[in-house]
Amino acid sequence: MRAQAVAQPNIALVKYWGKRDAERNLPAAGSLSLTLDTLWTKMAVELEETAEADTLTVNGAGNDKMLGRVSTCLDHLLGPGRAKAAVESESNFPIAAGLASSSSAFAALVVAASKAGESPADTLSLARWAGAASGSAARSFHEGIVELHADDDEIDVRSIASVEDWPLRVVIAVTESAPKAVGSGEAMIRSAATSPFYRSWVERQDEDLSMAREAVRDRDFEKLAAVSEHNCLKMHSVMWTSRPPVVYWNEATLNSMETVVQLRRAGAPVFFTVDAGPQVKAVCLPSACDTVSAALAATGGVTKVIVSGLGRGARLLERG
Ligand code: DP6
């Protein structure tokens, strides 16, 4: 059986950085994100009874680095006695460079594999399987603005605003496309073990989440901007104070953050967020999108600007 699915990456405004249970990959706290529409990952999964091993290609080239995580995810989803899989991944953006490629990859993988393996499940169960492989992937099952709850032994995840409810834009300033030196999973375990700020970071997440939830409910852009930038800078403070430190920023990252702050001072509805990589994501209202794109494109060290609206959750593609 062969099946193909597509998913879009998501960008967190209230971030996931830390695991409650590394074995099960349960996040230490909840998070809130925007599902994008312009970027995508397609995953095709073909189960072959006679094959001896799983294979993975990413944009046409063999990729052994990700293969272990993909195989483990398939083992959990389909059971250890499953047929081996030929997995083909295709993305229209750089992977492992802080553009949330693991969120779209594992969401699409789980949707395609459950179909190929004739192992149907509801969206929440699929999101939990994907989250066990990569925490952020659980959020790519839903559209628009998404909240992930991590209060219990299992995560829960749902959309709190549809694409039409609040059509925000995200302008991504790409400053470097090479894969990052330290993966986010490894880096967050290091932060939990060594940063003196880690505990208070986790303890304050609920406060930031309720503020962000209220901002979304009231479509209060200024409030969302304030809590998102604060949350992003707290996460990076935890990274910087880890031992050894985890620093994903470069000069162009700082230049881009400064561009966003200057634009806001001049009255544009825009704020920044930065994940485990050097790219800057500027979230803005549609009215400011052209100004923000032009300003970031003209910022020193920015190599490319990608503009996205909010998009839909992971789904099967008709022609597997
Ligand atoms: C900074 O989901 O990549 O983007 O569960 O270990 O695969 P693993 O981590 P991952 O971490 C995402 C970290 C982040 C913040 C976020 O997306 O919430």
Side-chain angles (χ1 to χ4, degrees):
M1 259 299 266
R2 180 185 157 93
Q4 193 181 23
V6 64
Q8 281 110 246
N10 68 76
I11 302 297
L13 302 184
V14 178
K15 313 282 192 186
Y16 148 52
W17 194 255
K19 300 170 196 287
R20 169 180 309 185
D21 180 340
E23 191 74 19
R24 296 178 57 208
N25 207 40
L26 276 178
S31 52
L32 185 140
S33 61
L34 309 176
T35 302
L36 303 183
D37 70 351
T38 313
L39 310 184
W40 49 257
T41 302
K42 291 178 188 168
M43 281 274 183
V45 175
E46 182 154 19
L47 293 169
E48 299 168 327
E49 292 296 342
T50 53
E52 284 183 3
D54 295 328
T55 57
L56 170 68
T57 62
V58 176
N59 293 332
N63 185 315
D64 287 342
K65 215 171 155 209
M66 281 280 286
L67 182 59
R69 279 176 86 186
V70 165
S71 294
T72 305
C73 177
L74 295 175
D75 287 346
H76 289 156
L77 181 69
L78 303 175
R82 68 177 173 85
K84 298 299 177 197
V87 179
E88 288 166 20
S89 167
E90 201 193 329
S91 281
N92 69 344
F93 63 99
I95 59 165
L99 284 171
S101 57
S102 70
S103 65
S104 49
F106 284 101
L109 176 72
V110 163
V111 173
S114 81
K115 176 71 176 172
E118 293 170 325
S119 178
D122 57 26
T123 304
L124 180 57
S125 306
L126 293 176
R128 285 174 174 166
W129 290 121
S134 184
S136 56
R139 300 185 307 239
S140 275
F141 281 78
H142 293 281
E143 70 161 315
I145 307 179
V146 177
E147 185 172 356
L148 183 148
H149 293 265
D151 316 320
D152 304 318
D153 203 35
E154 292 274 21
I155 58 159
D156 196 1
V157 60
R158 65 193 169 91
S159 177
I160 59 167
S162 71
V163 174
E164 294 77 27
D165 284 340
W166 205 8
L168 299 172
R169 297 282 186 275
V170 181
V171 181
I172 302 170
V174 179
T175 66
E176 167 74 68
S177 317
K180 54 198 172 199
V182 193
S184 44
E186 181 192 333
M188 61 178 87
I189 288 170
R190 186 190 299 174
S191 289
T194 62
S195 170
F197 301 156
Y198 179 76
R199 187 190 290 260
S200 65
W201 153 254
V202 172
E203 280 170 7
R204 306 290 287 269
Q205 280 296 88
D206 275 352
E207 214 173 287
D208 287 4
L209 271 173
S210 40
M211 199 173 290
R213 203 181 301 123
E214 276 167 31
V216 171
R217 184 196 64 201
D218 302 340
R219 311 284 185 270
D220 184 338
F221 189 85
E222 268 181 42
K223 190 170 182 172
L224 189 64
V227 68
S228 301
E229 287 192 352
H230 179 63
N231 191 268
C232 165
L233 293 173
K234 276 196 294 188
M235 178 184 76
H236 285 275
S237 303
V238 171
M239 293 173 173
W240 282 41
T241 50
S242 300
R243 288 190 173 165
V246 180
V247 179
Y248 288 114
W249 299 357
N250 59 32
E251 189 182 346
T253 312
L254 279 162
N255 292 342
S256 302
M257 290 160 78
E258 181 60 21
T259 295
V260 169
V261 170
Q262 293 297 346
L263 285 167
R264 193 166 62 250
R265 282 210 187 111
V270 59
F271 64 86
F272 66 75
T273 190
V274 185
D275 291 295
Q279 333 302 353
V280 174
K281 291 100 181 190
V283 180
C284 62
L285 292 178
S287 56
C289 192
D290 289 348
T291 310
V292 171
S293 306
L296 283 172
T299 296
V302 172
T303 55
K304 190 179 171 186
V305 162
I306 302 170
V307 178
S308 180
L310 303 193
R312 297 164 60 197
R315 59 212 176 268
L316 268 180
L317 290 173
E318 285 299 320
R319 290 161 47 82

